[in-house]
Amino acid sequence: MMYLVAPSAMSMELNTDGSYLINGENIVRAEIPGGTDYVQMTGTHNGEGRYTAEGSSIFLSDSTYSVVFGTMTMSIDGVITDAPVSAFTLPDNFMSPPSSTEYVVSTTTLLVTYEGPSGTITEEWAR
C-alpha cells in the first residue's frame, strides 16, 4: 500500500478559465508486505495545464508536470538507510496526473479516482 505521510502538503487549483495548477511537497511511503518495513521518498511537485469536466469525469490536457525527488529512505528490519532517489531508475512521468479521472465533489472534499499501474487509486483533496 502507498500513501502520503506527514509533513506532506499538496494543492490543486481548478480555475474558471479552464487552467489547473498542482504543486506541493510530499513524502510517499510504500509498505513492504509482511511486517513493518517500508520505502519512502520525498518529492517537490509542480504541474499545470488545461482541464475540462463532463459528467463525473475530469480531462487534463496541455499538461506539464515535474517532480524533483529528494531522499529515499528504506526501513528494513528496523535498520534505516537513506539514498538519493537518483540512484534508482523511475519510469517516465512517474507521479504525473492521469489524462482523465472520475470525480465526486462534496462540501468538504474532492475525490479523484483513476487506474494506476497497480490498480485503482483514489485521491482525497480537502476544500
Side-chain angles (χ1 to χ4, degrees):
M1 172 193 328
M2 288 183 65
Y3 55 93
L4 296 179
V5 296
S8 292
M10 294 286 293
S11 67
M12 176 172 48
E13 292 179 31
L14 299 171
N15 300 305
T16 58
D17 68 355
S19 65
Y20 78 88
L21 299 170
I22 297 176
N23 61 57
E25 295 184 18
N26 65 33
I27 302 168
V28 175
R29 180 176 288 187
E31 294 178 342
I32 299 171
T36 60
D37 299 338
Y38 64 86
V39 175
Q40 71 182 31
M41 64 182 150
T42 61
T44 301
H45 300 251
N46 287 295
E48 64 182 343
R50 310 281 311 154
Y51 81 94
T52 57
E54 183 178 311
S56 62
S57 298
I58 297 174
F59 302 95
L60 303 180
S61 62
D62 302 322
S63 299
T64 59
Y65 198 85
S66 68
V67 181
V68 177
F69 292 104
T71 303
M72 178 177 284
T73 301
M74 293 168 272
S75 176
I76 308 294
D77 295 329
V79 177
I80 297 175
T81 304
D82 289 337
V85 174
S86 61
F88 302 91
T89 302
L90 298 171
D92 290 340
N93 299 318
F94 184 67
M95 299 185 78
S96 295
S99 60
S100 67
T101 65
E102 297 297 311
Y103 74 95
V104 176
V105 177
S106 74
T107 56
T108 58
T109 61
L110 168 65
L111 295 178
V112 179
T113 304
Y114 54 92
E115 289 302 313
S118 300
T120 302
I121 297 171
T122 299
E123 297 178 0
E124 181 175 336
W125 294 82
R127 292 180 85 178

